[in-house]
Amino acid sequence: MNHAIARMAGPAEVVADHSWPGTSTTVLRLRATDGRQMILKANTSTDSFRREHTALSRWAPALGASAPQLLDVDEDAQLLLMTAVAGHPLQSLTLTGQQKRRAYERAGSLLARFHATAPRTVLPAFGAERAAYIRAQLTDGTHPLSGADLAVLDEALHLLEALPAQQAQPSHLDFTSRNVLWNTEAEAGVIDFETSRYEAVGRDFLRITQRTLYRHPDLRTAFYQGYGREPDRAESELMRICTVTDAAAIVVAGTARRQHAFATEARGILTAAVRAWPAPAPGTAIPHGRRPL
C-alpha cells in the first residue's frame, strides 16, 4: 500500500484508517506535504470498485465539494484516489433539534441533486431481477426468520416479481447518516459510492427511512422538504415491498456470516415492517387516515 500511496498521491502520510470492519474495502485518509487531505480506497470486490469508479467519474463531478472528486485510479489494483469531503458523519455528531432538521433538509437537497446528475432510463425487468437477487441471498437458509416473517416475505417477493417496468436514475443506495457528512459551513456532503448504480426511482429513500426517518417525523419532514417533494404512490409501494425483502435478506446473510451488527439492525427493521404489513412500512409513506367503518 505504501508503494501505491507514493505512486498515486506523491509524498503523503496516512493520518487515519476509515475502513469499515467486515467489508471488502480499505479506506485511508492521506495528508500531502502541502496539507491537502485525500482518500485512498482499495476494494477487493470488483463489482463494488466498478460501481464507485463509475459514480465518481460520471455523477460526482456535478456535486462539486459535496462529494469526493476523483484524482487518480489504478484499475488493475482496484484503487481510487479522491478528494476528502469536509465534515463528519451525521451519526457521529451531537446536534440540537434545529441543527438536525437543517442537516436532514440539506441532505434531502443533496440527494435530489445527485438524482438529477444524469437522465432517467428504464429498467424493464427490475422487479423480477431484484426478486431473483433476494432469493439468492436466502440460499444460506431462513432459520433466523419466523413464520410471520416468511409469510410476509413470500407475499412481498411475489409483489416484487409482478412490478411493471421501472423508471431508473443514478442512485447512491447507501444514503444514511453514516455516509452523509455535515460540516461547519452547515452544508451536507456524501461519501461511499460503492453501491451506486442506475436503480428504480424510490429505492434511494429506503435506507435513510429505515434507519432514521421512520423514528423521527420531524427529520422526515425536513428531509423531503429539502428533496423538494414526498415519495409518490409508486415509490412508496416499492419502498413498502423492498423494506421487507431487503431486511429479510440481510437478517439471513448477516446471521450466516456472523455480521451481528448488520443482522441485528435488519432484524429491527423487518420486525417493524412485518407488524405494519400490509399497510405501508413505517416511515415509507404519509400514514393513511382512519378508514370509514
Side-chain angles (χ1 to χ4, degrees):
M1 186 63 78
N2 288 337
H3 176 71
I5 292 172
R7 174 169 47 83
M8 298 179 72
E13 63 175 331
V14 177
V15 294
D17 186 340
H18 298 306
S19 306
W20 191 256
T23 69
S24 63
T25 60
T26 299
V27 183
L28 301 178
R29 181 178 291 268
L30 311 178
R31 183 170 58 215
T33 53
D34 62 3
R36 288 180 301 115
Q37 302 229 342
M38 298 169 283
I39 299 293
L40 182 65
K41 187 169 185 177
N43 205 318
T44 59
S45 164
T46 299
D47 287 343
S48 295
F49 167 77
R50 288 176 177 169
R51 284 192 295 264
E52 187 144 27
H53 186 202
T54 296
L56 294 180
S57 300
R58 299 181 183 178
W59 306 325
L63 301 182
S66 294
Q69 299 301 307
L70 190 61
L71 299 173
D72 198 3
V73 59
D74 183 332
E75 295 193 41
D76 292 333
Q78 297 187 173
L79 294 170
L80 295 164
L81 181 69
M82 63 196 84
T83 60
V85 179
H88 298 279
L90 271 177
Q91 72 172 17
S92 70
L93 298 176
T94 300
L95 302 174
T96 67
Q98 183 176 358
Q99 288 171 331
K100 285 182 181 179
R101 289 188 291 274
R102 176 61 173 166
Y104 277 86
E105 179 185 7
R106 297 302 298 160
S109 176
L110 179 58
L111 187 61
R113 287 170 57 200
F114 181 62
H115 288 167
T117 55
R120 287 186 177 184
T121 186
V122 176
L123 298 177
F126 167 80
E129 291 174 356
R130 184 67 188 170
Y133 171 82
I134 294 295
R135 291 185 191 279
Q137 304 307 299
L138 301 175
T139 55
D140 289 329
T142 58
H143 70 274
L145 305 182
S146 70
D149 298 333
L150 292 171
V152 172
L153 174 60
D154 182 66
E155 184 176 343
L157 284 168
H158 281 92
L159 289 171
L160 190 57
E161 290 166 332
L163 287 176
Q166 298 288 297
Q167 289 284 312
Q169 63 192 5
S171 300
H172 186 278
L173 298 179
D174 197 13
F175 197 84
T176 66
S177 60
R178 186 181 73 215
N179 292 324
V180 175
L181 308 186
W182 187 242
N183 62 42
T184 56
E185 302 299 320
E187 287 297 335
V190 61
I191 57 172
D192 194 2
F193 289 82
E194 65 182 44
T195 57
S196 298
R197 60 180 179 267
Y198 263 99
E199 181 70 311
V201 172
R203 275 263 299 151
D204 227 3
F205 298 141
L206 195 58
R207 287 201 173 180
I208 196 166
T209 294
Q210 292 171 334
R211 287 155 177 79
T212 304
L213 302 185
Y214 89 89
R215 295 190 300 268
H216 301 281
D218 60 330
L219 300 184
R220 184 187 186 282
T221 297
F223 180 82
Y224 286 116
Q225 284 178 341
Y227 190 82
R229 64 174 180 84
E230 289 271 347
D232 64 23
R233 183 175 294 276
E235 291 165 342
S236 295
E237 175 65 1
L238 180 65
M239 293 165 68
R240 179 179 82 102
I241 294 168
C242 289
T243 293
V244 171
T245 58
D246 291 17
I250 295 171
V251 168
V252 172
T255 301
R257 297 166 190 166
R258 300 183 182 276
Q259 296 174 327
H260 300 300
F262 289 119
T264 299
E265 181 181 56
R267 173 73 266 176
I269 293 166
L270 179 61
T271 297
V274 167
R275 286 175 179 167
W277 192 271
T284 59
I286 298 174
H288 297 302
R290 287 181 59 87
R291 296 178 180 175
L293 299 177

